[in-house]
Amino acid sequence: MTLLNYRISIACALLCTQLFCQTARAEETTRSIVAVNYPLHFFARTIGGKEVKAEFPLPPEIDPAYWKPEPREVAIFQRADLVLLNGAGYAGWTAYAALPRRKLVDTSAGFRDRYLSVADQVTHSHGPAGDHSHNTTAFTTWLDLSLAAEQAAAVKQALTRTDPENGQSYARRSDKLEKQLLDLDQRMQSAGKVLSGGPVIFSHPVYQYLERAYAIAGTSLHWEPHKEPDAGQWALLQEIATTSGSRLMIWESDPLTRTRDRLHALGIQVVVFDPMANQPKEGDFLSGMERNVRSLEEAAESLQSQGLVNTRE
Amino acid sequence: MIDSLYIAWRYLLFNPARSLTLVACITLVAFLPLSLQLLLDEAERSLRSRSVDTPLLAGAKGSALDLVMNSLYFDDQLPTTVSMGLVERLEQDGLAIPVPLYVRFKTRGFPIVGTTLDYFDFRGLTIGQGRLPALLGECILGSEVATQLGLKAGDHLVSTPENLFDLAGIYPLRMKVVGVLKPSHSEDDRAVFSDLKTTWVIQGLGHGHQDLARTDDPSVILDKSDSNVTANAKLLQYTEINSSNLNAFHFHGSPKAYPLSAVIAYPEDKRSETILRGRYVDSDKYQILVPSEVIDGLLENIFRIKQVLDTVVLIVGLATLLALVLVFTLSIRLRQREMETIFKLGCSRLTMVRLLAAEIAIVVLVSVALGGLLAGATTRFSDVLIRTLIA
């Protein structure tokens, strides 16, 4: 090997070492942000960009609201620089986990006065503490997309507070995200105006904020998409449909084909509105919500054309 | 000179009781003021370093010393409690990072410190074995606690009931030890740490029991309606938190009202500290104090006592010196015949003086050496000694 080759090799080695050191340093200084649900993770990732390391350590198949983490999974949250909480009693595990308080960001703290209560909770009493019940607040706040925009703004504020140097970048991305969320909110408002004419049926009691924000009144059941409803459940559905005149049922995910067919036979249209609480298999929060909104718009149009709902729009 | 030293040495060995008494007297007179000074220096260092590391302490109006001693040295005296509302208020102020503390309960003689994970960051405490508490019912041990109790990660510790005769009271909680802290040579070595919520469970503010709405055991139900279920005393409450019953644990009332013994506040800067202190100057409920100022006041009193002790030691020292002079004078009288024999052997008066001087020198040297050893031992164990005395 000639002297020139040696020099080139040494220069390359030095360059690689420097690059490695820079990358390691950048990784050390990058803020890690962990969220308790996918919408918040998406907000952190979108607003934080390359400046943050957004982590979402939850398994894909579970509902983050009812996740029971193992200590090693809690440790990921303990090590993070920021922990994004949804608030409103969401992710019950955070109530019994040891998390660093100064790193917690309750993204819905700004609208605590607008939380919704869940009715029909059975209270219990024993000892001197008196009556009490558990988890009485509805928590899928982001289904009101204007509240989702507020939560995104809370994420931006937390990022800017901990990393003011990149504040402008965060603000720019946050503004863009807010606009996208509010655009979807506007479309939901329009669809809501149509659907407000006829009550709908919800497969699960998770749509409280959507009901309030878009005036889509309805009755919530406890139907699982992957399970066939039993006779009692069908009877209850028919009773609701008859008394309220509901012609639309909103599901968290696609129901079984047999269930769908039977609903069609009853004259009930099926719409999937995925709450997007966990990471989707494809796409992201915005594309998922866009799909949700489009489904509702199409359902609204369909019902409107049949004269089954409001015709103000 | 060597001959004189040898004869003096043999003489001292021939009269062991007298020699030992002389050595003990001189050692004690030399060691007492020295050890006192060493212990006070260590006490001052220990008290000051802990207080300097704690910029501000917020708590209920009342004894500032009780508040500082309970929060910094985990003293038994519980100050008037405050609520979590104070932490939220400090967070809203945005001038300092609040770290809540609840130092009330004990386990096998050691304090249980309920706090948040921020405490470990600010105190620079790191895990030596195992991990930090992650879930309700878990605790970690200070290094001395682990050594003294012979516990390690995976073992269990039961909280000590506050009142053994309160049969209807709260059950002790069996906590899982998940880690041991590295030695920090501070009070933290002698404490058991858990998450705040775990201490509230110990107090009975949070508890776990079978689901009353779903229970099929009619013997635990006193009354049941569509909206309320009332249970009787047979209702099983869990005394240990594990993965199978963790979700059954819940807290009553507003978390804002849960008790704390104090809140350590870490201000952003000097300006924030001044503003924050100013905001609570006229508060009827709360006080924010600078622990180092309280400790300085305490040390001033200790030093005043030390001055009195110094005077006492000086007087005792003088008395001992006079007693020693008396002992040697009397010993010369007692050794009259021995001295006459020495003179008859042809030795001068100076030889006798040399012999006596050698005896005194040996006694003093041995005493100084012993005093040095004792002082060394005091220095070695002064931090443990002081922490035991403070606790």
Side-chain angles (χ1 to χ4, degrees), chain B residues 87-126:
Chain B
V87 175
E88 289 187 13
R89 189 171 151 180
L90 287 166
E91 280 172 343
Q92 280 160 12
D93 284 337
L95 297 165
I97 296 169
V99 179
L101 286 176
Y102 196 29
V103 188
R104 174 174 174 172
F105 302 101
K106 292 206 154 215
T107 173
R108 294 172 69 178
F110 293 100
I112 298 172
V113 179
T115 186
T116 59
L117 293 187
D118 305 317
Y119 183 86
F120 305 106
D121 289 344
F122 283 116
R123 286 268 187 249
L125 300 173
T126 48

Side-chain angles (χ1 to χ4, degrees), chain A:
Chain A
M1 199 182 276
T2 63
L3 187 64
L4 184 66
N5 283 345
Y6 272 123
R7 282 179 181 166
I8 290 170
S9 305
I10 290 168
C12 284
L14 284 172
L15 196 66
C16 287
T17 312
Q18 198 181 356
L19 277 171
F20 176 76
C21 289
Q22 276 177 352
T23 313
R25 218 173 295 137
E27 270 180 18
E28 268 174 30
T29 53
T30 305
R31 279 157 186 77
S32 64
I33 300 175
V34 193
V36 295
N37 62 20
Y38 173 68
L40 294 177
H41 167 70
F42 175 77
F43 298 158
R45 206 182 61 194
T46 309
I47 298 168
K50 284 179 185 168
E51 285 84 9
V52 304
K53 184 183 165 198
E55 289 180 88
F56 189 60
L58 282 78
E61 69 280 2
I62 55 102
D63 182 349
Y66 301 103
W67 185 45
K68 293 180 194 175
E70 293 294 319
R72 66 186 154 73
E73 290 162 324
V74 175
I76 299 171
F77 286 79
Q78 290 178 335
R79 282 196 297 269
D81 294 307
L82 277 179
V83 177
L84 302 177
L85 303 178
N86 189 73
Y90 186 86
W93 67 269
T94 56
Y96 57 73
L99 297 172
R101 192 176 168 92
R102 74 174 197 282
K103 296 175 183 173
L104 302 180
V105 181
D106 181 352
T107 55
S108 67
F111 53 84
R112 267 187 202 147
D113 54 334
R114 282 174 278 161
Y115 282 167
L116 285 170
S117 295
V118 178
D120 301 331
Q121 285 280 325
V122 176
T123 63
H124 66 262
S125 58
H126 50 88
D131 291 356
H132 58 278
S133 62
H134 310 149
N135 196 19
T136 55
T137 309
F139 49 60
T140 35
T141 50
W142 64 93
L143 293 187
D144 173 347
L145 289 161
S146 67
L147 294 184
E150 287 189 44
Q151 289 184 275
V155 173
K156 181 203 77 179
Q157 275 175 14
L159 286 174
T160 311
R161 179 169 46 79
T162 53
D163 178 24
E165 278 179 24
N166 290 309
Q168 283 189 336
S169 306
Y170 299 145
R172 199 178 57 249
R173 294 183 203 124
S174 172
D175 288 347
K176 187 181 169 192
L177 176 64
E178 185 188 22
K179 190 179 174 306
Q180 289 168 313
L181 288 170
L182 292 180
D183 283 349
L184 286 172
D185 180 63
Q186 273 304 312
R187 286 171 59 190
M188 281 293 291
Q189 295 283 359
S190 304
K193 278 178 187 161
V194 178
L195 293 171
S196 62
V200 299
I201 299 168
F202 298 102
S203 70
H204 244 88
V206 293
Y207 295 99
Q208 298 90 344
Y209 290 94
L210 181 139
E211 287 184 62
R212 181 182 67 180
Y214 310 112
I216 303 174
T219 308
S220 293
L221 301 173
H222 280 271
W223 285 24
E224 299 297 339
H226 58 277
K227 272 165 81 176
E228 200 166 342
D230 59 30
Q233 287 176 306
W234 281 114
L236 179 65
L237 177 95
Q238 275 177 311
E239 187 188 324
I240 292 168
T242 311
T243 51
S244 66
S246 300
R247 287 289 171 268
L248 187 69
M249 186 165 181
I250 296 179
W251 287 78
E252 291 173 282
S253 63
D254 267 323
L256 296 173
T257 315
R258 282 162 63 101
T259 310
R260 183 185 277 269
D261 291 345
R262 191 160 169 187
L263 284 168
H264 276 168
L266 289 168
I268 297 172
Q269 193 173 335
V270 169
V271 169
V272 174
F273 194 101
D274 184 354
M276 308 285 297
N278 206 332
Q279 192 136 17
K281 282 178 187 153
E282 51 191 49
D284 58 26
F285 180 77
L286 278 177
S287 63
M289 277 296 158
E290 156 73 28
R291 199 165 48 243
N292 286 336
V293 175
R294 205 169 47 243
S295 301
L296 267 187
E297 284 171 338
E298 284 167 7
E301 270 176 37
S302 164
L303 292 174
Q304 203 171 20
S305 64
Q306 294 169 49
L308 296 170
V309 288
N310 221 338
T311 50
R312 281 179 289 152
E313 278 291 310

